[in-house]
Amino acid sequence: MSPSCFGYPLSIFFIIINEFCERFSYYGMRAVLVLYFKYFLQWDDNLSTAIYHTFVALCYLTPILGALIADSWLGKFKTIVSLSIVYTIGQAIMSVSSINDLTDQNRDGSPDNIPVHIALSMIGLILIALGTGGIKPCVSAFGGDQFEEDQDKQRSRFFSIFYLSINAGSLLSTIITPILRAQECGIHSKQRCYPLAFGVPAALMAISLVVFIVGSRMYKKVKPQGNIMVQVSKCIGFAIKNRFRHRSKEFPKREHWLDWASEKYDKRLIAQTKMVLKVLFLYIPLPMFWALFDQQGSRWTLQATTMDGNFVGYFLFFFLYVHLQQTVNPILIIIMVPVVDAVIYPLIKKCKINFTPLRKITVGMFLASLAFVAAALVQVQIDKTLPVFPAAGQSQIKIVNLGTDNVAINFPPPLQQVNCSGGTCNVSYSEDISPNTVHMAWQIPQYFILTCAEVVFSVTGLEFSYSQAPSNMKAVLQAGWLLTVAVGNIIVLIVAGASKLSEQWAEYVLFAALLLAVCIIFAVMAYFYTYVDPNEVEAQLDEEEKKQAKKDMDMYEKQAEADSQM
């Protein structure tokens, strides 16, 4: 048994520090990535945005690969170490790729061979995506492995602290990295310091790796149990094929369709596959939550640009609001996670309300929908202050007189002469577009509601995925959970592209309505879900296997005795 501290395994503190440093590394690099594309690699907005989102999507697709490696080959510990090395190399390559003097032969302040920088950047980003995605499902599951079976409360608290460390790393990095980028550095000419902005995250990733390895002797390491995903896929395929062969009514029905695989596969694999498929089925509606959640960095940021950023009087303004947008959520998360975990949940429990994990997830989806309703209400108020531009089929002519003399304006037919006194327009002052009057502070409610949604949705989802997974497939379910994030981002592109809504508030309402509908569907699915204890199920299977083995041995001994008497 590993050493403990305050009732928790000492090993988890190394894991939490590791996660903090890794998240600092990832979010710090990502905070300036689009700026690097646009201003250093000289890409246009569309290409920069496309590559950025491709990279993010790849980061949430590679967890499947990491989970397969962990559960089938190397185990979680070795997978984390191996892919963290790949991750660190990728971050280092990104830092090198941003060194202006690398190809600036004529010392004019601009790189002379952009393709070299692009090639290095793409190699670095691919390695980072493989590293961060590959270790993502392993770290949280590895942390859960450190607890004993009777430490459910401590394990639940660990997932909250774990999520807190993610947002603490994100918060600090999204503040610090843009400041580092704003510095000037270089050998021959002084430029924006991207090498430092990427170099510090690379250093944090190296620290993350070292901290994780230092705790090696304290970890409880669960050995991988073979290529489980291949076995599961074959089991599912055989069950479907065998059921199709025996579709005639003359064959009796079985309790579960996977039981049709019993002719070829053992009860343990079938039972484990049932548990995994039950959870994956519940995951189907979840991407819609992330479709709304990830619009904080896009639609909500654009909404803020049409609002009043004057913070206190006329002398203090929001500092780098685009960067502040990225820190609002982590700040609220750091505040809300301890409050919800230590105050809200205990109060709900005292009220004798059975607030199960799936009910928490349902509430989280509802709150996210409510946040977009709040965003729509803010947008309606913003629209009232925006200038009215000509609609389709209409034109607008504006004439500005910058001189001191009056002017006469005449239009040929069919346009009529401007109706001014004498034909002469005498205007001393005209306000073409009025200043934004809806303050950015009105976005705080929607951020607060969405953060509450994230706390009860995401933290609970990580814990639920772990608690319902068989011992040899925990990382696979963690990868499945992360895959819902990637699908959610794809949904944003599909819905935003397919909808022909001209009003932004209407799009917010559309997303809110879609999530509300999905929330209702999920609530129905959750109602019929039966919670299982994988450890208990596997213990029962162990007992059955022992009884079967004893029975087989008794039969063998009887047969041997009968043969000896002949």
Side-chain angles (χ1 to χ4, degrees), residues 198-413:
F198 289 138
V200 170
L204 263 292
M205 190 57 224
I207 293 172
S208 172
L209 175 60
V210 171
V211 169
F212 186 74
I213 293 175
V214 167
S216 175
R217 294 185 179 180
M218 301 180 190
Y219 299 139
K220 183 195 297 184
K221 302 169 187 174
V222 179
K223 293 182 179 180
Q225 300 180 22
N227 198 333
I228 192 66
M229 281 306 297
V230 173
Q231 296 178 43
V232 169
S233 300
K234 288 182 177 180
C235 178
I236 293 171
F238 181 80
I240 294 172
K241 185 164 52 176
N242 197 32
R243 178 67 183 90
F244 182 76
R245 287 175 181 172
H246 300 84
R247 62 186 181 277
S248 174
K249 292 183 179 180
E250 61 182 272
F251 297 102
K253 291 184 177 181
R254 301 187 182 182
E255 185 179 353
H256 192 280
W257 64 270
L258 269 174
D259 293 331
W260 287 96
S262 58
E263 283 86 348
K264 187 175 180 179
Y265 295 94
D266 59 76
K267 289 183 178 180
R268 178 181 294 273
L269 179 62
I270 293 173
Q272 291 174 335
T273 305
K274 287 178 182 178
M275 286 188 281
V276 169
L277 289 183
K278 279 177 64 179
V279 179
L280 290 178
F281 178 69
L282 282 176
Y283 283 177
I284 293 174
L286 302 187
M288 198 65 216
F289 173 87
W290 299 113
L292 276 69
F293 181 81
D294 284 342
Q295 290 188 55
Q296 291 179 94
S298 56
R299 296 296 193 194
W300 286 12
T301 300
L302 293 174
Q303 184 186 60
T305 62
T306 61
M307 302 175 75
D308 179 14
N310 187 10
F311 190 50
V312 179
Y314 288 93
F315 58 88
L316 182 61
F317 291 83
F318 278 116
F319 173 71
L320 295 174
Y321 188 73
V322 172
H323 293 138
L324 180 62
Q325 284 287 107
Q326 299 180 54
T327 64
V328 170
N329 179 254
I331 289 172
L332 290 175
I333 281 287
I334 290 172
I335 296 171
M336 291 303 299
V337 167
V339 171
V340 169
D341 198 46
V343 179
I344 305 299
Y345 286 162
L347 284 176
I348 293 174
K349 190 174 181 180
K350 284 186 177 181
C351 294
K352 297 182 179 179
I353 298 174
N354 187 17
F355 203 31
T356 63
L358 292 182
R359 289 179 180 175
K360 293 177 185 177
I361 292 174
T362 305
V363 170
M365 297 172 80
F366 175 77
L367 288 174
S369 177
L370 196 62
F372 265 64
V373 172
L377 293 174
V378 171
Q379 189 65 45
V380 168
Q381 297 303 314
I382 293 172
D383 290 345
K384 293 178 180 179
T385 67
L386 296 178
V388 178
F389 294 102
Q394 296 180 338
S395 299
Q396 187 179 58
I397 298 175
K398 293 185 178 182
I399 298 173
V400 179
N401 180 16
L402 299 178
T404 57
D405 299 327
N406 294 336
V407 295
I409 304 167
N410 292 282
F411 295 100

Side-chain angles (χ1 to χ4, degrees), residues 63-79:
I64 297 175
L65 178 62
L68 288 173
I69 294 173
D71 284 341
S72 308
W73 181 26
L74 295 179
K76 299 184 189 73
F77 175 77
K78 290 183 179 178
T79 299

